[in-house]
Amino acid sequence: IGDEAARLERITEDLLRLTRLDSGAMKPAVKVAVGPVLERAVRMLRPVARERNIDLSWQADPAAIVMATEGDIHQILYNLMENAVKYTAPGGFVHTEVCVDGGQVVMTVADNGMGIPQEDMSHIFERFYRTDKGRSREQGGTGLGLAIVKHIIEAHGERINVRSELGVGTTFSFTLKKAQTGHSH
């Protein structure tokens, strides 16, 4: 009963988040240093990764500062890493990297998990879509995580890219504009 209640709570939270995103009711963007947000997401996922014997690693350029909300950045990185941990076999890895490339902050979540079947690739960002229908329920997913990720990134005027090969792994990457630092007169 407890597990089912927690699953229903996650679904409700995800649906409310999507409703807010759909309505365009976004909080004003502020300067967000991505590193500390990523570190917090890793801390939250580390117990699950450890339990599944998955090496969860990360690296972030301290200059990676974007105009967004901390909640948006956390949601994106957490959802992508949580999926990677879920779909990576014990002994595998999930690596998240944040770097600055000119005026962009590039964020990448890579794993050596099961990969995504080619026929599912065009659907993975759809609401409630699941590639592995048999495992999803037991893992407690809502099928909304990637839809939320895509929606947030697109609300910032950007796109998310995914490369995947069955049995080799998956890499999600996206960019956000780097916040202007320093003083403006």
Side-chain angles (χ1 to χ4, degrees):
I1 293 172
D3 288 349
E4 194 61 17
R7 190 179 76 80
L8 289 171
E9 183 181 7
R10 277 194 307 275
I11 291 170
T12 304
E13 286 171 7
D14 285 347
L15 286 169
L16 287 170
R17 194 168 289 116
L18 274 170
T19 301
R20 281 193 300 271
L21 288 167
D22 283 344
S23 73
M26 290 183 67
K27 290 183 177 158
V30 295
K31 287 182 182 175
V32 177
V34 179
V37 179
L38 171 56
E39 188 175 2
R40 190 177 87 216
V42 168
R43 260 197 327 269
M44 291 171 72
L45 286 165
R46 185 150 280 139
V48 180
R50 197 174 288 131
E51 186 180 293
R52 300 202 60 224
N53 189 29
I54 291 168
D55 179 26
L56 187 60
S57 62
W58 64 279
Q59 184 176 343
D61 183 334
I65 299 170
V66 297
M67 290 301 292
T69 68
E70 203 169 293
D72 284 351
I73 300 303
H74 183 268
Q75 187 77 52
I76 293 167
L77 292 171
Y78 184 89
N79 284 8
L80 291 175
M81 290 188 300
E82 182 186 41
N83 276 354
V85 167
K86 259 187 215 176
Y87 294 106
T88 297
F93 72 83
V94 174
H95 181 69
T96 304
E97 194 165 334
V98 178
C99 59
V100 176
D101 181 11
Q104 302 276 14
V105 172
V106 182
M107 297 182 230
T108 307
V109 177
D111 66 61
N112 64 342
M114 64 174 63
I116 301 166
Q118 201 55 49
E119 62 270 16
D120 291 321
M121 289 291 279
S122 63
H123 301 288
I124 61 170
F125 294 106
E126 293 173 8
R127 295 172 186 196
F128 304 109
Y129 190 83
R130 294 172 166 176
T131 58
D132 188 350
K133 283 122 183 107
R135 290 181 50 180
S136 301
R137 180 130 179 127
E138 78 191 34
Q139 290 176 336
T142 62
L144 295 171
L146 289 179
I148 290 169
V149 164
K150 181 177 189 232
H151 211 306
I152 294 170
I153 292 169
E154 287 181 349
H156 286 279
E158 301 291 339
R159 293 169 46 94
I160 184 164
N161 300 302
V162 59
R163 289 189 327 273
S164 189
E165 193 176 330
L166 280 178
V168 176
T170 302
T171 301
F172 285 92
S173 62
F174 63 97
T175 58
L176 291 178
K177 288 173 192 63
K178 185 176 183 292
Q180 298 301 312
T181 50
H183 302 288
S184 55
H185 294 89

